[in-house]
Amino acid sequence: MSKSENRKGFTSKLGVILATVGTAVGLGNIWRFPYIVGENGGGAFLIIYFFCLLFLGLPVVLAEFTVGRRAQSNAVDAYKKFSNHPIWSRIGYLGVLAGFLIMGYYAVVVGWTIDYLYEAIVGNLQGHTPEAYTQLFAELSGDTIYPILLVIGVMGLTCYIISQGVQSGIEKVSRFLMPMLFLLMLGLAGYALSLDGAYEGLHFLFYPDFSDVTARTFLDAMGQCFFSLSLGMGCLTTYASYFKKDVNLPKTAVQVISIDTLVAIIAGVIIFPAVFSFGVEPTQGPGLVYVVLPNVFQKMLGGQILAIMFYALLFIAALTSIMSLLEVVTAYVHEKFNLSRTKSAIVVTILVIIMAIFASLSCGAMPELSLFGKNIFDIFDFISATILLPLGGMAISIYAGWIIDNKILYAEFAKNNKYSLNLFKAYAFILKYIAPVCILIVFIGSFI
Ligand code: PFF
């Protein structure tokens, strides 16, 4: 039996959707999206973000799906299958690098989330002054050993799930956790909308005030689009290599993008009304969900339950995403070096823990771990989300638009559906011209 026949894929279409939404919905939606919207002026950012989804997100998701399902292999080998060009065949390596960098700080944030969940359960998030919450977060993120132990716990759990394989690990966990995530979100959003500040919060989120928009806003929107959709680093290529032939790729892409965006918006609908109801500023950066929200929760009726629900939600979203990050690198090591899945996952996990130790220490215990005024944690985030993912996205769109035979692109697009040829032509045109040029312009513009 050939290697690709040997690979086990997702068992059903529902499994495909839940697992793929599992990778997309993560800290990007609930932790990153609200503070980036806050920093970029609310509604105006949202409009730019929608354009990014339509002209960059959708075509590149489809391109990654195409390469993955067709190649039936890990991301690095997948891009070698359709080209032996010295540059284009190596796009997958960019993904493995980005995956490491993202996991390096993602694991730290998931660790903080576990601590906040624990603190919420034992009632420690109640009854403090606003300054005490700033202090609480500074103490946690600035501690030396504790956040590292949390990282080891997070990565140990993720490693265990990934070592169980695609069906008994990724799919099983996603089938169980994703419905829970949707229920928690709806419960929290319903509550937030009943608050006094709901109108102000929604106004901030949806009213387009373009006065805060700069070239940087476009770069942030593009980075957020790629980060949130797990795009540009071969994650979706890897997942699509586990899709069966009966999956309708364009439909799946639209479903995943819609759910991911809806979840991000609902996260905004939960957070901004709460923030405005209690008179705090939304422009708080990464500390928004760890400093502002606990302060807001404690003032609410049933605040402890709400805090437990919120941090459980954040943890579930983050776990299913970090699973996919580990999967990208593990699948590569497993198939490339003929190492068992478990051993591959363990090796990659150890490397990630080492990176995360540096990221964690740079947040407070060893501030000297910094470059150009940014600590390692922020550098990992900036290089991966803002530079590598959009660059990877540009490379993938050029690869799909110019390098892969158009017949292959069409065959994967048109399988299991009757969408018109014009739709395909528009998609191929965007991949060829629009997406690469837009990414380039935003890049250059923001650096100038
Ligand atoms: N999409 C995830 C989130 O929104 O948190 C983050 C992510 C996962 C990025 C997997 C990239 C990736 F390959």
Side-chain angles (χ1 to χ4, degrees):
M1 213 191 287
S2 79
K3 227 181 198 174
S4 66
E5 280 168 300
N6 229 338
R7 300 173 107 238
K8 280 194 179 155
F10 297 122
T11 55
S12 67
K13 287 181 194 158
L14 183 66
V16 162
I17 293 286
L18 291 178
T20 316
V21 168
T23 162
V25 169
L27 294 173
N29 305 62
I30 304 165
W31 167 68
R32 208 171 183 277
F33 180 80
Y35 83 75
I36 291 205
V37 172
E39 287 175 346
N40 284 291
F45 177 86
L46 220 54
I47 293 180
I48 299 170
Y49 186 66
F50 277 123
F51 275 98
C52 287
L53 288 176
L54 196 62
F55 290 104
L56 304 176
L58 183 56
V60 183
V61 168
L62 248 181
E64 283 213 31
F65 280 177
T66 299
V67 175
R69 182 166 71 181
R70 193 78 179 190
Q72 297 282 303
S73 71
N74 65 77
V76 170
D77 291 335
Y79 289 92
K80 290 183 179 158
K81 285 218 167 136
F82 307 98
S83 158
N84 43 22
H85 186 280
I87 294 179
W88 304 117
S89 64
R90 293 197 168 90
I91 298 176
Y93 288 107
L94 206 69
V96 172
L97 174 67
F100 263 119
L101 291 179
I102 296 178
M103 276 189 280
Y105 75 92
Y106 211 93
V108 177
V109 186
V110 189
W112 296 342
T113 308
I114 293 181
D115 177 67
Y116 269 69
L117 180 57
Y118 168 76
E119 303 289 350
I121 292 172
V122 298
N124 276 353
L125 288 186
Q126 302 288 308
H128 300 296
T129 58
E131 297 71 37
Y133 289 104
T134 311
Q135 176 80 7
L136 201 74
F137 181 59
E139 272 170 17
L140 169 66
S141 56
D143 196 72
T144 314
I145 299 291
Y146 182 51
I148 294 175
L149 293 179
L150 290 171
V151 163
I152 294 174
V154 168
M155 288 314 299
L157 175 65
T158 314
C159 177
Y160 173 73
I161 296 170
I162 290 304
S163 68
Q164 299 303 299
V166 174
Q167 291 175 359
S168 320
I170 299 174
E171 185 172 346
K172 202 165 159 190
V173 170
S174 308
R175 273 177 183 271
F176 174 65
L177 290 182
M178 294 317 284
M180 246 158 86
L181 178 136
F182 297 132
L183 280 180
L184 284 170
M185 284 221 93
L186 291 181
L188 285 166
Y191 187 97
L193 288 176
S194 71
L195 293 169
D196 286 345
Y199 173 77
E200 225 183 319
L202 296 183
H203 184 268
F204 176 78
L205 183 60
F206 294 114
Y207 182 77
D209 171 7
F210 284 92
S211 60
D212 278 334
V213 171
T214 61
R216 184 60 209 240
T217 314
F218 287 84
L219 188 68
D220 278 349
M222 192 167 76
Q224 177 62 20
C225 166
F226 282 96
F227 187 85
S228 191
L229 296 176
S230 308
L231 213 55
M233 53 156 288
C235 183
L236 298 185
T237 311
T238 307
Y239 267 39
S241 73
Y242 306 127
F243 289 5
K244 292 214 180 89
K245 295 281 168 239
D246 63 350
V247 173
N248 175 347
L249 295 186
K251 185 171 157 198
T252 307
V254 170
Q255 285 170 334
V256 170
I257 293 175
S258 309
I259 298 175
D260 183 69
T261 309
L262 200 68
V263 169
I265 291 178
I266 297 179
V269 167
I270 293 171
I271 289 171
F272 292 120
V275 163
F276 280 98
S277 293
F278 294 95
V280 267
E281 279 300 305
T283 53
Q284 292 266 342
L288 187 64
V289 304
Y290 297 104
V291 177
V292 177
L293 278 193
N295 183 26
V296 168
F297 283 140
Q298 69 152 343
K299 296 180 184 161
M300 292 174 163
L301 192 66
Q304 185 176 1
I305 308 264
L306 293 171
I308 295 173
M309 283 169 74
F310 181 80
Y311 292 108
L313 164 78
L314 197 59
F315 174 66
I316 292 174
L319 181 68
T320 48
S321 293
I322 200 163
M323 270 160 42
S324 69
L325 284 157
L326 189 61
E327 173 63 22
V328 173
V329 191
T330 301
Y332 168 62
V333 174
H334 170 51
E335 286 169 14
K336 166 86 184 174
F337 300 103
N338 250 331
L339 217 57
S340 76
R341 221 182 139 77
T342 305
K343 281 189 188 143
S344 313
I346 292 175
V347 170
V348 180
T349 298
I350 291 173
L351 294 175
V352 170
I353 290 175
I354 294 172
M355 301 201 32
I357 289 176
F358 284 105
S360 176
L361 291 177
S362 79
C363 287
M366 294 174 75
E368 63 276 19
L369 289 173
S370 66
L371 253 177
F372 310 118
K374 273 185 193 290
N375 63 20
I376 297 218
F377 181 97
D378 290 333
I379 291 177
F380 283 176
D381 180 33
F382 182 75
I383 297 185
S384 54
T386 316
I387 303 204
L388 289 182
L389 297 190
L391 267 189
M394 181 162 85
I396 290 168
S397 63
I398 294 175
Y399 187 89
W402 295 91
I403 311 281
I404 295 188
D405 187 345
N406 229 22
K407 287 196 196 96
I408 294 182
L409 207 61
Y410 182 68
E412 290 298 323
F413 177 91
K415 210 169 263 166
N416 308 308
N417 64 55
K418 293 196 170 59
Y419 300 144
S420 81
L421 189 60
N422 284 340
L423 208 59
F424 172 74
K425 285 186 180 155
Y427 155 60
F429 182 82
I430 294 178
L431 279 181
K432 257 190 161 132
Y433 303 102
I434 312 251
V437 172
C438 284
I439 297 174
L440 200 66
I441 292 177
V442 173
F443 250 126
I444 296 175
S446 65
F447 286 111
I448 290 173

